[in-house]
Amino acid sequence: MQRASFDGGPDRTAPSAPRARRRRRWTALAGLLALAGLLAAGALFAWRSVMGSNERLLARARQALDAGDYRLAEELSNKLLERQPEFAQALLIAGDAAAKQDRRQDALALYARIPNRGDTDYAEGCFAAGEILLQQDHATDAERKFLETLAIDRAHILAHNRLGYLYGVEGRRWEALPHLFELLRHGQFSAEVLFLVGDRAATIVQLDELRQFCDAAPGDAAPLVGYAKIALRNNGSAEAKRLARQVLAAAPELIEAQVALGQALLNAAEDDELVEWLAQLPAAADQHPDIWRIRGLWASRHAQPRAAARCFWEALRLDPNLAAANFQLAQLLAELQPSPAVERLRERAVLLQRLANAVGALYGNRKDLNQIRLASELSESLGRIWEAWGWRRMALSVDPQLPWARQGALKLQAALHSSLPQTQETADPSRWVDLSSYPLPRLDIPGRQTVASAPASWRPRFKDLALQSGIDFTYFSGSHPKAPGRRIQQIMAGGIAVLDFDGDGWPDVYLSQGCDWPPRAEQTRHLDRLYRNLGDGRFEDATRYCGIVDGNFGQGVGVGDLNSDGFADLYLANIGGNRLFVNQGDGTFHEITREAGLASDAWTTSCLLADLNGDGHPDVYDVNYVQGPNIYERVCRDENGRDRTCNPAEFFSQPDRFFVSLGDGRFEEATAAAGLTAPEGNGLGIVAADFDGSGRLSLFIGNDQDANFYFINQTPQPGDPPKFLERGVLAGLAYDGEGRSQACMGIASADADNDGRLDLFVTNFYKESNTLYLQENSELFSDATAQASLRAPSYDMLGFGVQFIDGELDGWRDLALTNGHIDDVADEQTPCEMPPQYFRNLGDARFVELAAADLGEYFEGEYFGRVMARLDWNRDGREDLIVMHLNSPLALLTNQTEPSGHFLAVQLRGVQSPRDAAGATATITAGGRVQRQWLTAADGYQASNQRELIFGLAGLARVEKLQIHWPSGLTQEFADLAADQELIVVEGSPRVTPLAPVR
């Protein structure tokens, strides 16, 4: 059979049946494909037509939205959604249009329909939903949406903005920081961003916002963190603890609530709960620097210095700008691992505090170019280049022509790049040392031992006998304390000095006075007063015959024996010129200010006369406050335009001055040569004491809103030129335990915990805790305020004068304080006149505030309290107090405690040492218990105490041993002394001399 061919030639044959079927199928398929092609072409054409229509509709919808025609925008977007229900951009426009018409729930529903394809449309939908939720005060729901936005678009500036705000209001400052920094990096920042980045430790108080968050979403726990942080700021540790626990029960992932809880337990010194809290912290807590800071403070309190150092180092690895960690680590490493890093840490802590102060000043006046420049320079010194650049840009927004700001911004901008961190690596303190080998804290600590004090029935009690005894004195400041717009000098009060000016064995009292402003040299209405103790329960006004007529605006008073003749001399600090008066031994004084070389026009607050170089001749130290144009005339205004007293930060610090005695009645300024210079410092209180057992007087100076000074005396040999080294930060005395400067006023010194070391207590401003510094060794102090139960009771007081006093003579030094505000702030629900306080030492530096009704009528009153001095004016062995107020009578608080313990009173007379023996220490052993006291110079706030050491002996009638260590280096011991007597100990004499008994 011949095969057919496909060209129709002779080989072509008819197909068989199977082949025919296959051809029909292929022919049908080809037809279908052809039809499909035609349909596809039509569909493509139709699709293009539809898409073109959609794009036109979308453009029209956007135009309508931009033009504010929200109904049309919604109508057009709805047409698009009818065609394409998941059209993301149409859903966005529809949601925006609904939101603009205040149909927020509809808008949220539309945004929720946007498909999550991980694209910008979904991110924008999340952000828009977050905005509505935030407007509805649903804080956590809004937070989730903003975080979703950033999960897709890390550079979404508005999402960073909202989270920075939200976290800040909620007290979650650490979580806010990276978002604020992103705003700064992208140049999208405001003054508020710079403030918040510049000082993360500051608490944001936005009560209205928090209240709205809680009302709108009662089950949302996150806003309660903000309430807890505000409670901590306001000294409400119990409330902060309650709120933090409530948050953690509902949202255990909120680490900021753990921070609030830990800080509350730390503040309240609740060790058992704190240990339990430390043990149950989740692993995520290790990523929060404040958790490590709290761990470090706890370890430091419980004698684990290496573990504390490790914790502070870990905190700095997370946040190099945590001031408290820089400060604490500098202290600890100075003892544990001395290295150049210690000084760098110290310097960084100081710079961080200065930056916080500058930022705080700018909150009140954001156009202060001096403070802006300071903030910029400090930020640059700290390696925070982005912030330094930001501050310069802020300055240019105030004055676009500022050369320093313009040139500095250009220079810094050249150094900026996307990978530059908030803090340059070279400025990161965690890289200066490696403490990874140091241990972590141990939680198995022994319980605290109970130390016995006086019986509960021994209740200190005082009675004001000023008028009854003949002291009729009221400090006149030139303005009533409640008068609006007082000048800054009118808030300070004068000084109190206790001295035996006539040598009869009875303590007399000198009181400096103010005057009308401006002062007039010839005025005699308001004069200083000298009251002579007659020894019969009365004082007489000896001013008229003592030779001192001082009508200046009086401040502090110093006492010393300039010529070693046994008669106390006086140095008066004034606004208008300090004055030096020599006691002539006949009940009169003679002024030698100019011939002594001490003329000065600085504003001196406290002052001292004491031998600081060991040559036997007392030197002079002026603690100076502030200076500046019109300083004594200027009146400031608050944010509401009301007159108020100016803040010292609005002026320049006035450097202190030191004058070394030449031994012939003349003095020579040696401030710089002696190393007694330090930056800043608005000085108010001073104490000179032998802090380290070297026999030399070192100086502690309390500064108002600046770092305190601690000048360690390093004079090589007695009589050499005096040399001092400022070690406030490293010693732990410059700031409180959190590394913050405070508005320090009064200072009291004593051995609060009976460990043989001199401790310090400093009074501070309203809404700042007073601070108890316990000395751990000769170079290190620690803030023990909270564990001493002294933090909470002082927080809502503004403390000035303070003294350690053994009121019931049980051998433990109590604390007495006088309080009072500087302005009339009653309209802010803030007390103006304030009650004094008395804290009984229960033993081992644990204190309890005694009820005013138990202490006596004076303690039930309220005053503008200022100056407090210690004395035993009636020589009954029970220490008394004398207190000066603004514009109300002085109080002579006479100790009438019954029953009380026995006592031993000791007065010292130097021979090789200075006559008044300032710097000597006395130690007694009685009943096997050892007590030590220090004879200090210049005590507390603008005061000078009686130079007598009174030891409380409780129920003991004899002292086994009395040891005196003199500034000359001589040590003497006396054995088996009867109690209840006053003794004079003369340096080098083998016997003690009892003072004549009280008449």
Side-chain angles (χ1 to χ4, degrees), residues 599-931:
S600 171
D601 60 358
W603 179 358
T604 301
T605 51
S606 294
C607 57
L608 69 78
L609 289 173
D611 179 13
L612 297 183
N613 66 340
D615 65 355
H617 304 293
D619 308 304
V620 172
Y621 192 98
D622 292 346
V623 178
N624 294 328
Y625 195 50
V626 293
Q627 60 182 331
N630 302 318
I631 182 173
Y632 303 121
E633 306 296 338
R634 186 173 170 188
V635 175
C636 296
R637 286 189 169 89
D638 64 16
E639 62 274 10
N640 298 313
R642 296 171 298 191
D643 288 346
R644 63 166 177 82
T645 304
C646 294
N647 188 304
E650 297 177 59
F651 302 102
F652 298 103
S653 298
Q654 176 78 264
D656 294 351
R657 297 183 73 185
F658 168 62
F659 300 88
V660 65
S661 174
L662 300 178
D664 58 1
R666 295 179 301 127
F667 295 82
E668 179 179 76
E669 184 175 357
T671 314
L676 289 165
T677 58
E680 309 303 326
N682 309 312
L684 287 176
I686 183 172
V687 167
D690 180 7
F691 286 93
D692 56 8
S694 66
R696 297 171 296 200
L697 285 172
S698 295
L699 303 171
F700 174 74
I701 298 161
N703 289 319
D704 188 357
Q705 300 187 16
D706 277 315
N708 300 323
F709 298 152
Y710 179 45
F711 290 109
I712 297 177
N713 195 330
Q714 295 190 323
T715 307
Q717 297 294 328
D720 284 353
K723 296 291 181 185
F724 290 82
L725 180 64
E726 205 289 305
R727 304 282 282 183
V729 174
L730 289 183
L733 291 170
Y735 308 122
D736 69 0
E738 296 290 319
R740 297 172 299 205
S741 62
Q742 297 175 293
C744 301
M745 266 76 79
I747 307 166
S749 59
D751 184 1
D753 54 358
N754 200 35
D755 67 350
R757 301 184 181 104
L758 186 61
D759 308 310
L760 292 166
F761 184 85
V762 180
T763 58
N764 296 312
F765 204 73
Y766 182 68
K767 296 298 183 183
E768 285 183 349
S769 166
N770 297 331
T771 308
L772 174 65
Y773 296 102
L774 293 183
Q775 187 174 180
E776 298 178 3
N777 55 44
S778 61
E779 295 183 352
L780 185 64
F781 292 75
S782 64
D783 180 347
T785 315
Q787 57 263 46
S789 300
L790 290 169
R791 186 183 187 279
S794 67
Y795 197 82
D796 292 323
M797 296 290 175
L798 198 162
F800 273 90
V802 60
Q803 295 291 341
F804 276 108
I805 175 174
D806 187 355
E808 65 280 74
L809 296 173
D810 66 348
W812 292 97
R813 308 296 290 179
D814 307 325
L815 276 166
L817 296 85
T818 181
N819 304 304
H821 216 292
I822 63 170
D823 267 316
D824 181 5
V825 285
D827 58 335
E828 300 174 11
Q829 286 73 54
T830 298
C832 304
E833 294 156 295
M834 294 178 173
Q837 293 174 291
Y838 190 100
F839 295 92
R840 186 178 189 182
N841 192 335
L842 301 178
D844 197 26
R846 292 178 296 116
F847 293 83
V848 62
E849 185 174 5
L850 299 185
D854 293 336
L855 291 163
E857 183 179 353
Y858 171 82
F859 283 86
E860 297 182 83
E862 294 182 342
Y863 315 88
F864 287 99
R866 287 301 184 262
V867 188
M868 177 181 283
R870 190 179 67 244
L871 75 168
D872 179 12
W873 76 273
N874 54 9
R875 292 178 55 197
D876 64 356
R878 293 175 295 187
E879 292 179 290
D880 312 308
L881 296 165
I882 184 167
V883 187
M884 182 183 291
H885 319 101
L886 288 183
N887 294 71
S888 62
L890 175 137
L892 180 63
L893 301 182
T894 304
N895 192 335
Q896 298 187 335
T897 304
E898 287 289 351
S900 63
H902 296 286
F903 72 93
L904 182 70
V906 179
Q907 296 184 18
L908 304 177
R909 305 286 188 268
V911 177
Q912 297 300 317
S913 302
R915 178 69 179 234
D916 54 17
T921 59
T923 306
I924 67 164
T925 303
R929 180 183 168 197
V930 178
Q931 294 183 54

Side-chain angles (χ1 to χ4, degrees), residues 475-477 489-490 513-515 517 519 551-555 573-575:
Y475 183 83
F476 178 72
S477 67
Q489 71 273 17
Q490 294 173 327
Q513 179 60 283
C515 62
W517 195 265
N552 291 294
F553 202 96
Q555 301 287 270
N574 286 312
I575 297 176

